[in-house]
Amino acid sequence: MPPPVFRFAPSPNGYLHRGHAYSALLNADLAQASGGRLLLRIEDIDATRCRPEYEAAIYQDLAWLGIVWEPEVRRQSDHLELYRDAVAQLTARGLVYPAFESRAEIARLVAAKDAAAPWPRDPDGAPLYPGVGKGLHAAERAQLIASGAPYALRLDMDAARALVGELTWSELGEGPAGETGTVAARPEAWGDVVIARKETPTSYHLSVVIDDALQGITEVVRGADLFWATSVHRLLQALLGLPAPVYRHHSLLRDAEGRKLSKSSAATGLRELRAAGVSPQQIRKMVGLAPAA
């Protein structure tokens, strides 16, 4: 049997904090304990928010923690053509359509629908797409695209679900309600998800399943906030003929108010803790991991 392959895949849109340290160290510990491999992937498809200094800091922070990864680092921005090809495959099968509403227009549509009856939300609490993109005629779509209008490419969830039928995944961790073992995927809970945009030929959902397959990832270890996103990932894997890794979702570190640590909430960065004299072994204790062997 080949050794298991793990990965840590941060986005360079801010500095790493203790929550990232927990996930990275857990991946490294599991790889070491199983005689497996640890890969590093830089998920930098967001050209607006991702910066070189954040990427450089990722390497510095992980090295300081004592994490060793295989030398070749995969950067998503180097592989946009692969993602574009996958979108073209799905489009050719009639599974993708452009939607032209702005975020503000979608918010107004949702508010109008909520006034009549509660509009459905996805597992993250965001409203499902309420627009008319799926119903536009081909000529209307072509005219809008030719005019230079911005658009998002959405997956026709009903058509996709009809093609693949029921889906499950193997869960070694647990979900928000203790789900573990064989978990039934419910991608329809996300509605017609965005898989690319006019200015970016991919999305997190699409890139991550393609990268995991191409890198031979056998076990995805990540935060529980992505537990139900796995439903969308299983759907895309089935549509694109990609293998499904085993998943292990772990608990999230939270602040004193019970909020998960995040870059957007200005969680204290590892670089700040390092500057304050905190050691890597103290970080392991902070995040609830045993001392390094």
Side-chain angles (χ1 to χ4, degrees):
M1 289 287 291
V5 184
F6 298 79
R7 51 79 162 172
F8 180 58
S11 294
N13 54 12
Y15 294 112
L16 300 187
H17 51 64
R18 286 180 293 123
H20 297 112
Y22 176 54
S23 195
L25 287 165
L26 184 57
N27 271 281
D29 288 356
L30 289 167
Q32 182 178 36
S34 63
R37 302 163 56 203
L38 177 63
L39 307 184
L40 177 61
R41 180 164 75 228
I42 300 298
E43 298 194 339
D44 61 343
I45 60 172
D46 186 344
T48 302
R49 298 173 60 208
C50 295
R51 300 179 186 173
E53 60 266 32
Y54 293 147
E55 182 175 340
I58 287 171
Y59 303 136
Q60 294 164 4
D61 288 340
L62 295 181
W64 173 67
L65 289 172
I67 294 173
V68 179
W69 59 91
E70 294 192 2
E72 187 175 350
V73 175
R74 182 179 179 88
R75 298 175 74 252
Q76 288 183 332
S77 60
D78 294 335
H79 303 280
L80 296 181
E81 198 58 39
L82 284 174
Y83 312 136
R84 190 177 284 111
D85 288 346
V87 172
Q89 290 179 42
L90 297 173
T91 302
R93 297 167 66 187
L95 298 175
V96 174
Y97 65 89
F100 299 92
E101 296 92 349
S102 67
R103 288 184 173 86
E105 288 170 330
I106 288 175
R108 287 195 293 271
L109 288 170
V110 170
K113 291 182 179 296
D114 270 338
W119 186 250
R121 262 64 176 173
D122 68 25
D124 284 344
L128 302 193
Y129 172 64
V132 299
K134 192 175 351 186
L136 291 177
H137 294 298
E140 294 177 277
R141 292 173 178 172
Q143 184 177 13
L144 285 166
I145 290 173
S147 73
Y151 58 84
L153 291 173
R154 291 183 176 272
L155 184 69
D156 185 332
M157 186 59 70
D158 291 338
R161 289 298 276 124
L163 275 179
V164 303
E166 297 304 310
L167 294 166
T168 62
W169 79 84
S170 179
E171 176 64 49
L172 298 180
E174 63 176 39
E179 301 92 341
T180 192
T182 300
V183 179
R186 296 190 290 108
E188 63 277 3
W190 295 90
D192 290 359
V193 293
V194 172
I195 62 166
R197 295 185 184 277
K198 176 186 178 182
E199 67 279 7
T200 307
T202 189
S203 65
Y204 165 73
H205 294 308
L206 184 65
S207 300
V208 74
V209 299
I210 292 173
D211 290 344
D212 284 343
L214 290 177
Q215 291 190 284
I217 304 301
T218 61
E219 190 167 324
V220 172
V221 180
R222 62 189 183 189
D225 53 335
L226 290 169
F227 183 83
W228 286 117
T230 309
S231 293
V232 176
H233 301 168
R234 285 294 297 117
L235 177 61
L236 290 170
Q237 287 159 355
L239 291 171
L240 294 169
L242 303 176
V246 171
Y247 291 87
R248 185 191 297 261
H249 291 90
H250 60 72
S251 58
L252 303 175
L253 297 190
R254 300 187 179 277
D255 62 19
E257 285 72 44
R259 301 171 301 183
K260 73 172 184 178
L261 299 183
S262 69
K263 296 167 184 171
S264 60
S265 66
T268 305
L270 294 180
R271 63 202 303 269
E272 297 170 82
L273 294 170
R274 181 166 72 249
V278 176
S279 71
Q281 288 294 354
Q282 287 174 305
I283 294 291
R284 292 187 68 92
K285 185 176 181 180
M286 285 179 181
V287 302
L289 291 174

